[in-house]
Amino acid sequence: MRLQLEKQLLLFSLLCTLSKVCAQLCQRPCYCPVAPPRCPRGAPLVLDGCGCCRICARRLGEPCDLRAVCDRSQGLVCHRGAAGTGTCNFEDNEEGCEVNGHVYRDGEVFQPSCKLQCRCWDGGVTCVPLCQEDVRLPTPDCPFPRRVAIPGKCCQEWVCETRELPQAAAPRIPGLPYPCEEWSTEWSACSATCGMGFSSRVSNQNRHCRLQTQTRLCVVRPCQALPPAAPAVS
């Protein structure tokens, strides 16, 4: 019975002290600035502890008191000490993370941008990329790969550029997206020693720059006419 009475007296004295502090901090009538304050990113405008003027809500780790209130939308409360001032923290004393002015709860998964997915864990933030970071080497069909931003897409994509090279270094075949170095063998001997024949070679001088066997007609010399046949003797 005596212990319960002492608790009630302690609570009553604490309420009296708070009411006196509130009376000192909260003046009536209210005198507020004409223009509301400009708050940092992520800090909303709320009524102060006196219910009088609009102020910027305090964020995680910022100082607070009976008048400067914490951001309740983020689950923050003011953990005050004996002097009446305190620090904004989560109501259940969980560790949190603040990224770009926004407070995330412990274990919460979020995306600060379309390229990252992060997680708040033990007061720290770990992130993994959502875009592939692969490396593309030059190939004959894509000699100059380059990453570019595509309108409407978050991640960059590979595109193949076409660059003009000096004519002496690598001739370009029309319609081919990459330089083609011409190569061919010598023409073979004519297939006929006289009259019409053909010779062949292997070359890549074509529209696809592929090795192919090419054939052409050839004439070494005309063939001699056969002597006329002797008339038959009856």
Side-chain angles (χ1 to χ4, degrees), residues 13 30 40 54 70-71 90 103 116 118 138 140 162 174 177 192 195 199 201 203 212 214 218 225:
S13 62
C30 296
R54 299 175 68 187
C70 301
D71 187 1
F90 290 110
V103 179
L116 292 176
C118 303
T162 302
S199 63
R201 71 172 183 177
S203 174
Q212 292 179 346
Q214 298 176 348
C218 57

Side-chain angles (χ1 to χ4, degrees), residues 140-156:
D141 60 333
C142 187
F144 305 108
R146 186 170 65 93
R147 280 186 183 272
V148 297
I150 306 298
K153 294 186 178 181
C154 176
C155 302
Q156 294 182 335

Side-chain angles (χ1 to χ4, degrees), residues 32 73 127 135 153 160 175 197:
C32 303
S73 64
C127 300
V135 177
K153 294 186 178 181
C160 296

Side-chain angles (χ1 to χ4, degrees), residues 38-163:
R38 298 183 63 180
C39 301
R41 184 178 179 182
L45 276 173
V46 296
L47 283 177
D48 59 15
C50 299
C52 184
C53 302
R54 299 175 68 187
I55 63 172
C56 298
R58 299 300 174 91
R59 297 175 296 179
L60 180 66
E62 293 183 343
C64 56
D65 52 32
L66 291 174
R67 188 169 184 177
V69 296
C70 301
D71 187 1
R72 294 291 300 179
S73 64
Q74 298 293 326
L76 301 177
V77 295
C78 187
H79 292 267
R80 287 188 290 269
T85 59
T87 305
C88 291
N89 205 337
F90 290 110
E91 190 172 3
D92 51 4
N93 292 328
E94 286 186 355
E95 292 289 340
C97 310
E98 182 179 1
V99 179
N100 296 331
H102 188 86
V103 179
Y104 299 94
R105 306 292 294 270
D106 188 63
E108 185 176 357
V109 178
F110 60 96
Q111 287 187 222
S113 69
C114 60
K115 298 180 180 180
L116 292 176
Q117 178 173 297
C118 303
R119 183 184 184 188
C120 176
W121 189 257
D122 288 339
V125 178
T126 57
C127 300
V128 294
L130 298 178
C131 298
Q132 294 183 358
E133 299 295 334
D134 57 333
V135 177
R136 181 167 182 173
L137 299 177
T139 55
D141 60 333
C142 187
F144 305 108
R146 186 170 65 93
R147 280 186 183 272
V148 297
I150 306 298
K153 294 186 178 181
C154 176
C155 302
Q156 294 182 335
E157 295 185 4
W158 287 105
V159 296
C160 296
E161 284 189 343
T162 302
R163 301 179 185 176

